[in-house]
Amino acid sequence: MAPPSIFFHRRILFVISSPSATSAHSPKSAASDLFDQSALSALAQRLVEAAKRAGADAADAVAVRGISQGIELRDSRVEESERSESDDIGLRVLVGQRQAVISTNDISGDGIAKLAERAVAMARVAPDDKYVGLADPSLLAREFPDLDLLDPEVPTTSELERRAAEAEAAALAVKGVTKSGGASASTGIAGMVLVTSTGFQGSYLRSSQGIAMTAIVGDGTSMERDYDFTTAPHASDLASPESVGRKAGERTVARANPRKVETCKVPVVFDPRVSGSLVGHLISAVNGSSIARKTSFLRDRLGQQLFSKNIRVIDDPLRVRGLRSQSFDAEGVKVKKLAIIDEGVLTSWLLDCATARELGLVTTGHAHRGVSSSPSPGPYNLHLEAGEPSPTELISDIKQGFYVTDLIGSGVNGVTGDYSRGASGFWIENGQITFAVSEVTIAGHLLEMFKTLAPANDLEFRYGVNAPTVRIEGLTVGGR
């Protein structure tokens, strides 16, 4: 499993999801004009007004501007150094119960009337959809707290090179590491403006920074690799390049000379690097779109006990310096902290306005949207709350078991809940982690897995989805 590419790929993708910062956090750099969103706001407003003049009953516009830079380094040499800038705008228009979305990267301001007319013409020939529409004005956000998501210091190219080089050097200094799989460092700042014909206007601004390292041990068919990475809106919240490199090297060396095991049914423990995937499977199953389409194995489980009573799964869009924090959703709806699982009970679906109408409910403020798409539900900052035992205590009574550090493939059926994934990690014997294991599968059913899920006390907020070490009973480990 490679490090997440959202911050480290050559062309970096940004999730635009933070309210505009106050003047105390305004960047002071050569690119400061990027952070003046007044032109984008004016453009979006003119586009909405043009859509109304062209015959739209309602409209909203999303304007996005972003800048990113990434460095990829291997063997102390820079292999890639890439900078990208983007300007995009999207317009959604509604004519009766018909909807159309159109986008462009020409934000010069010319041709706004023609763009709006084209969108309205598209909507008039679109099929009727009784669930489309803008958010009820009573649900719109009126306050925009500063969630401190903008780092005022933008790192230079030389600083990014330094971070990547230090991470690589630290990994190569770990005894047993034979070569570098590459180090990377990245930075970016992106902004978004949302304007609706119902009078809502809000803007977002956020920064992102990251460091990643992949190390290799062995060669040929006996080669093993592992990684570490860190990412945060603020550089001060990043792990040091040296610690990223060292952890990547140590993890890689520990994976050397893996063995295979016999097929068996044992407790499986998920490392925090992968335990968040279990939360992800839950969230996919409670997405309002899946519920409305009847394609979720949880579609009839609202209000039911899925986990033990000490389990809570939280979605918190208002976490200060959170990777996915924001104070309003893609329809302008006010967001709030939500316990999706509370005392083990499934309490809510994730809903935008359209799926809420289809299900006869009220939006939960989980609309997400790109410039070329209509809103759809999605999460913000997710976490599974920590339990009481330490990771050591969690595995202390396991005579034979499997500790998972890496998952491969996506063999999870969201309709039936069947779970099967390739995995690697370490074998547990008599409460102790022993030898490395690779080329196995773990299988079960998510409903049964949720019932026995037990978390440790080592929760850290490092990713968009966070969970502590987790133990699940009776999974099938498929070996030789």
Side-chain angles (χ1 to χ4, degrees):
M1 180 179 175
S5 61
I6 192 165
F7 291 102
F8 306 116
H9 196 271
R10 292 175 185 175
R11 286 179 173 81
I12 302 170
L13 170 67
F14 286 93
V15 180
I16 313 303
S17 55
S18 72
S20 295
T22 63
S23 59
H25 298 290
S26 297
K28 297 178 181 179
S29 70
S32 61
D33 59 330
L34 175 71
F35 313 117
D36 179 2
Q37 295 178 292
S38 58
L40 286 178
S41 296
L43 177 62
Q45 184 67 51
R46 292 200 306 272
L47 197 54
V48 168
E49 292 169 355
K52 291 285 287 181
R53 288 194 299 271
D57 295 317
D60 61 15
V62 175
V64 174
R65 176 173 294 169
I67 183 170
S68 63
Q69 184 166 5
I71 297 291
E72 293 187 7
L73 179 148
R74 190 191 305 267
D75 298 328
S76 301
R77 297 192 304 272
V78 174
E79 292 191 333
E80 293 284 345
S81 177
E82 189 158 310
R83 178 185 179 90
S84 65
E85 298 185 16
S86 63
D87 298 284
D88 300 278
I89 191 162
L91 173 67
R92 179 171 63 136
V93 301
L94 295 107
V95 178
Q97 295 301 124
R98 300 178 179 185
Q99 173 178 270
V101 178
I102 192 169
S103 64
T104 180
N105 59 6
D106 179 5
I107 64 164
S108 62
D110 298 332
I112 283 180
K114 290 183 178 179
L115 188 69
E117 290 167 1
R118 181 182 174 192
V120 171
M122 291 169 59
R124 284 175 172 152
V125 297
D128 283 338
D129 185 343
K130 61 183 178 180
Y131 304 118
V132 301
L134 301 188
D136 187 313
S138 66
L139 300 175
L140 298 176
R142 304 299 179 187
E143 298 178 353
F144 310 106
D146 176 16
L147 301 178
D148 194 15
L149 301 181
L150 186 63
D151 192 329
E153 299 297 328
V154 180
T156 62
T157 301
S158 60
E159 171 62 15
L160 295 179
E161 290 182 15
R162 181 193 68 80
R163 293 176 185 179
E166 287 188 4
E168 183 178 60
L172 293 174
V174 174
K175 185 177 180 181
V177 172
T178 54
K179 63 180 71 173
S180 168
S184 62
S186 63
T187 184
I189 296 177
M192 185 182 79
V193 171
L194 172 65
V195 174
T196 76
S197 59
T198 53
F200 177 86
Q201 182 169 323
S203 62
Y204 294 51
L205 205 60
R206 70 171 300 140
S207 55
S208 61
Q209 300 192 44
I211 306 166
M213 174 63 203
T214 300
I216 299 172
V217 62
D219 53 30
T221 57
S222 63
M223 185 182 298
E224 296 289 334
R225 68 178 64 214
D226 212 321
Y227 67 91
D228 191 39
F229 72 97
T230 180
T231 181
H234 286 252
S236 60
D237 292 332
L238 294 172
S240 69
E242 190 275 336
S243 68
V244 170
R246 184 180 66 254
K247 286 181 181 178
E250 292 171 349
R251 287 171 171 169
T252 302
V253 171
R255 290 181 61 156
N257 304 311
R259 307 182 201 174
K260 296 182 180 179
V261 295
E262 300 290 342
T263 296
C264 55
K265 200 168 187 177
V266 295
V268 173
V269 179
F270 291 75
D271 183 87
R273 284 204 302 180
V274 293
S275 59
S277 66
L278 299 171
V279 178
H281 299 319
L282 167 71
I283 297 307
S284 294
V286 302
N287 186 293
S289 294
S290 297
I291 303 303
R293 293 194 305 266
K294 297 182 172 21
T295 57
S296 168
F297 71 99
L298 295 180
R299 61 187 178 274
D300 300 318
R301 301 281 180 169
L302 189 64
Q304 294 187 17
Q305 189 93 31
L306 301 183
F307 298 80
S308 61
K309 288 190 176 182
N310 66 324
I311 300 299
R312 297 183 83 228
V313 176
I314 307 297
D315 191 27
D316 186 5
L318 300 174
R319 183 186 305 148
V320 174
R321 295 195 180 192
L323 284 171
R324 301 176 180 174
S325 296
Q326 62 190 73
S327 61
F328 58 90
D329 76 354
E331 295 176 294
V333 173
K334 181 180 180 180
V335 298
K336 62 183 179 180
K337 188 175 181 179
L338 175 66
I340 299 164
I341 300 293
D342 193 9
E343 296 185 345
V345 175
L346 175 59
T347 66
S348 178
W349 311 127
L350 299 190
L351 303 170
D352 65 350
C353 288
T355 56
R357 293 185 189 106
E358 187 169 359
L359 295 170
L361 300 169
V362 177
T363 177
T364 56
H366 281 88
H368 292 257
R369 179 187 170 189
V371 295
S372 58
S373 62
S374 57
S376 61
Y380 302 106
N381 299 301
L382 288 164
H383 74 271
L384 166 66
E385 286 195 348
E388 295 183 359
S390 68
T392 299
E393 292 169 336
L394 199 67
I395 69 172
S396 61
D397 66 338
I398 297 177
K399 292 184 178 180
Q400 296 286 325
F402 184 37
Y403 186 90
V404 181
T405 59
D406 228 346
L407 291 167
I408 305 164
S410 55
V412 179
N413 189 321
V415 178
T416 65
D418 292 322
Y419 180 96
S420 179
R421 298 194 67 180
S424 59
F426 300 89
W427 200 244
I428 301 171
E429 290 184 347
N430 298 318
Q432 301 291 322
I433 293 176
T434 56
F435 56 86
V437 173
S438 66
E439 298 181 13
V440 299
T441 60
I442 52 176
H445 192 280
L446 286 170
L447 280 175
E448 297 303 315
M449 294 166 66
F450 292 163
K451 289 178 183 178
T452 65
L453 184 147
N457 64 0
D458 57 339
L459 175 66
E460 293 182 352
F461 294 101
R462 298 187 60 195
Y463 318 115
V465 181
N466 297 280
T469 302
V470 163
R471 173 175 170 172
I472 292 178
E473 306 298 326
L475 291 184
T476 299
V477 176
R480 57 192 178 194

